[in-house]
Amino acid sequence: MRAQVVIVGAGPAGLLLGQCLLQSGIDAVILEQRPAQYVLGRVRAGVLESGVVALLERLGAADRLHAEGLVHEGFDIAFAGGRVRIDLAGLTGKTVTVYGQTEITKDLMDARAAAGGNTVYEALDVALHDFEAERPSVSCIKDGKTLTVECDFIAGCDGFHGISRASVPAGAIRNYERVYPFGWMGVLADTQPVSEELIYVSHERGFALCSQRSRTRSRYYVQCPLSEQVDEWPDERFWAELRRRLPADAASALVVGPSIEKSIAPLRSFVAEPLRFGRLFLAGDAAHIVPPTGAKGLNLAASDVHYLAEGLIAFYKNKNSVELENYSARALARVWKAERFSWWMTKLLHRFPEEGDFGRRMQLAELEYISASRAAQTALAENYVGLPY
Ligand SMILES: Cc1cc2nc3c(=O)[nH]c(=O)nc-3n(C[C@H](O)[C@H](O)[C@H](O)COP(=O)(O)OP(=O)(O)OC[C@H]3O[C@@H](n4cnc5c(N)ncnc54)[C@H](O)[C@@H]3O)c2cc1C
């Protein structure tokens, strides 16, 4: 088989890139190791910057998002018995949209199928070949047979544990990493969200987040030790712990119900540099990870795709390779700023056992400063809604 571009991974990065290329008449095949239903079932991100919404609009995949997504003009930070509202719209003129990653995935899969895009699901043992040379290829095992796709470029969109970054020789890549000493215990429930807007909570017992996927589906998180397992968190324990951390009015308004998904996510900051190795490009979680506190992961995958698609389209349509040459630097400039913001939000809102009482007083002083300073709120808000592409 031959394609102009092989995309490894059909998560948000791979599907977005596939759709950008398909729309420009560039022939790209996606190789995904999991079945489509498994990819659709992964419950993850839910808060979209306006840049992702604009990208989905350009791709003709935003109709359901506009019909069902919830536009949020602000969010609350609760601490020490009080709350401050960050008025995103008032401070920046921008909003975020709450719409689940599973829904975006479905919309992009449907758009790809309608446009006749080729996605090979259950592509096993994917291997990247000769990406430092002129004629790279990607092979996999499909239905017991070896499938090899020759191509001009490979886009590694296969997430943090994928094969693309792992295929780069150690000497050619530099990794920057911080692993946080706790995780997020998350519960998805078909209950009415406790508040119209998100509530981030900095509490003595640890961080909590009241998020949502729709008006009838809630997503809640509590900070938990990494040593704990999901089966140590029956629903009753989770709801009781969440209530303890919420402000009194939210705790009494909380509607609980059976969890429909429950998982513990470790928190990590990670960046690999550069993002280009000959004819291989990395994008999305394959290249970087942020702790979910700033809601930036999927949004960063989309901004990478924006830059990479621009580069590939300029190469094929205008025979201009400048933007491809610049892809790594352009994408990383935005990635590092989102890494900084996600790290800062994480440090501000979580209990770090090793920081002790002094660390806690510093957090509270900073939260009080933010509450009283429009300048500090503006800095927070403009990062939260997303820096420009
Ligand atoms: C609990 C949680 C909450 C989050 N909340 C938010 C949020 O509110 N906002 C936000 O923006 N982000 C959030 N994120 C992050 C977001 O989900 C990710 O950043 C996003 O999924 C990255 O997309 P991706 O396509 O780069 O990678 P992935 O979604 O990981 O997709 C990679 C794909 O590649 C496939 N693959 C892997 N290895 C191979 C291989 N060897 N061969 C072929 N295919 C392969 C995988 O099966 C997968 O389908 C959250 C994440 C978590 C865990």
Side-chain angles (χ1 to χ4, degrees), residues 9 12-13 32-33 42 44-46 101 158 284-285 295-299:
E32 163 62 50
Q33 69 178 2
R42 267 190 313 232
R44 286 175 164 185
Q101 178 166 333
D158 48 350
D285 278 15
K296 288 283 167 254
L298 190 152
N299 292 302

Side-chain angles (χ1 to χ4, degrees), residues 37 60 88 136 197 204 253-254 276 336 357 369 382:
Q37 283 310 316
L88 299 172
E197 296 182 342
E204 302 300 318
L254 181 71
R276 177 180 185 171
W336 275 114
D357 292 343
Y369 169 65
E382 72 182 6

Side-chain angles (χ1 to χ4, degrees), residues 8-15 31-34 38-39 42-48 101 123 125-126 157-164 184 211 213 219 221 263 265-266 283-286 288-290 292 294-301:
V8 185
L15 288 169
L31 303 181
E32 163 62 50
Q33 69 178 2
R34 302 283 192 173
Y38 179 93
V39 175
R42 267 190 313 232
V43 178
R44 286 175 164 185
V47 179
L48 307 180
Q101 178 166 333
D125 296 337
V126 169
C157 299
D158 48 350
F160 185 66
H161 300 287
I163 191 65
S164 299
W184 279 16
S211 186
R213 294 295 176 264
R219 183 71 163 156
Y221 299 98
S263 50
D285 278 15
H288 40 73
I289 294 286
V290 283
K296 288 283 167 254
L298 190 152
N299 292 302
L300 275 184

Side-chain angles (χ1 to χ4, degrees), residues 186-245:
V187 157
L188 189 71
D190 277 332
T191 56
Q192 187 189 341
V194 68
S195 153
E196 278 197 11
E197 296 182 342
L198 270 59
I199 310 175
Y200 287 82
V201 186
S202 171
H203 190 271
E204 302 300 318
R205 295 179 66 87
F207 170 82
L209 172 61
C210 304
S211 186
Q212 54 191 257
R213 294 295 176 264
S214 71
R215 289 207 170 82
T216 54
R217 181 164 284 187
S218 303
R219 183 71 163 156
Y220 295 108
Y221 299 98
V222 294
Q223 175 184 350
C224 71
L226 272 179
S227 54
E228 298 199 350
Q229 309 296 319
V230 174
D231 54 18
E232 294 173 65
W233 283 89
D235 287 2
E236 306 72 50
R237 179 183 173 202
F238 180 85
W239 296 122
E241 185 58 40
L242 179 64
R243 266 209 181 94
R244 275 192 207 109
R245 299 184 191 186

